[in-house]
Amino acid sequence: MAGVPLSQRSKSWGLGRWTMVVLVLVAFGLGSYNLGGREFWLDEALSANISGLGWAGATAHLRSSPFEHPPFYFLALNLWQQGVGTTEFALRFFSLLWGVLFIPLIYAVTKRLASERLAVLAALLATISPFMVACSQEARMYTMLPCLALLALLTFWNGLNRGKYPLWWLAYLIVTTLGTFTHYLFFLVWLATTLYLLLDYLRRRRMRWWAIVTQSLPLLVAGFW
């Protein structure tokens, strides 16, 4: 199989868009099962209460609560509940959508960085992961967070390899800023990409000015917060 073009290998394995359609449907089915059958537990109730304060109220509350998470998830959930409602099913469905989106995202990132076979395997494992299914059924930010991390890696990779298109760095800046305002541990994604840029400079002795600028701004914004 080593000498067979990737496009032919994809067909022989039956990979591609139909595989993703099946995995997305399976992920949606697993996450939808009994989605509204349980009452909120403590953290989910906090999500409902904080997001229900509105943008100004939620931001003020979170700025005065150092042990709470940053505001982006709660502000997004506030917009969601205005259109869908505040029931257990409605608020958890927001997390389910992010959990389902994670499947094609991890496929796309793994395919770009490795191979299509590994991408399908990664998507399959993510689909049947008990951890991902559980997070997809909770009104918390734990499915939004990995989606933003994957989008950050994807836009970062495109920025490095498509230097003629600075819009990729703008997209990376936006995603990284949103990720930083979703969970403080998103800092680890920023740290990993920063270390990569440092190693890339030591190897190439060439400055990537767009990367340096976009890498600095989320840290400044987070520091202001």
Side-chain angles (χ1 to χ4, degrees):
M1 294 289 290
V4 179
L6 181 59
S7 60
Q8 295 183 18
R9 278 185 276 164
S10 301
K11 294 178 181 178
S12 64
W13 270 59
L15 307 180
R17 63 182 64 182
W18 287 111
T19 305
M20 287 303 100
V21 168
V22 171
L23 292 180
V24 163
L25 291 176
V26 171
F28 183 81
L30 292 174
S32 297
Y33 177 73
N34 198 33
L35 188 61
R38 297 170 287 107
E39 294 184 354
F40 285 143
W41 70 291
L42 176 60
D43 283 7
E44 290 182 300
L46 287 173
S47 295
N49 290 334
I50 294 173
S51 60
L53 296 174
W55 281 36
T59 302
H61 172 78
L62 294 171
R63 284 184 62 85
S64 62
S65 304
F67 296 105
E68 261 297 348
H69 297 290
F72 178 64
Y73 167 77
F74 302 102
L75 301 183
L77 189 62
N78 173 264
L79 290 177
W80 174 263
Q81 68 185 28
Q82 289 183 33
V84 180
T86 58
T87 64
E88 286 87 349
F89 181 91
L91 295 190
R92 288 173 182 154
F93 196 82
F94 185 65
S95 297
L96 174 60
L97 292 180
W98 286 100
V100 171
L101 177 62
F102 181 76
I103 307 304
L105 275 178
I106 197 170
Y107 170 82
V109 172
T110 308
K111 181 181 177 181
R112 183 66 58 86
L113 300 179
S115 67
E116 187 163 14
R117 291 184 181 183
L118 189 59
V120 170
L121 178 60
L124 174 61
L125 293 177
T127 300
I128 62 177
S129 167
F131 178 78
M132 284 302 300
V133 173
C135 288
S136 296
Q137 294 186 325
E138 285 194 357
R140 297 294 283 173
M141 70 288 298
Y142 302 123
T143 51
M144 174 187 284
L145 182 64
C147 286
L148 292 175
L150 289 176
L151 285 172
L153 294 178
L154 187 61
T155 53
F156 180 80
W157 188 93
N158 282 327
L160 290 176
N161 292 277
R162 301 181 180 181
K164 297 181 180 179
Y165 304 98
L167 285 178
W168 281 113
W169 288 114
L170 177 60
Y172 171 73
L173 172 62
I174 294 172
V175 173
T176 304
T177 302
L178 293 179
T180 304
F181 275 89
T182 299
H183 199 288
Y184 292 117
L185 287 181
F186 197 88
F187 169 77
L188 296 176
V189 177
W190 178 89
L191 179 62
T193 52
T194 300
L195 291 175
Y196 183 91
L197 289 175
L198 177 60
L199 293 174
D200 180 71
Y201 170 74
L202 294 176
R203 182 167 60 94
R204 297 172 178 265
R205 296 296 178 179
R206 179 165 62 91
M207 299 294 288
R208 297 179 184 266
W209 293 110
W210 280 107
I212 293 173
V213 171
T214 54
Q215 197 73 1
S216 303
L217 289 177
L219 189 63
L220 294 176
V221 174
F224 174 77
W225 169 257

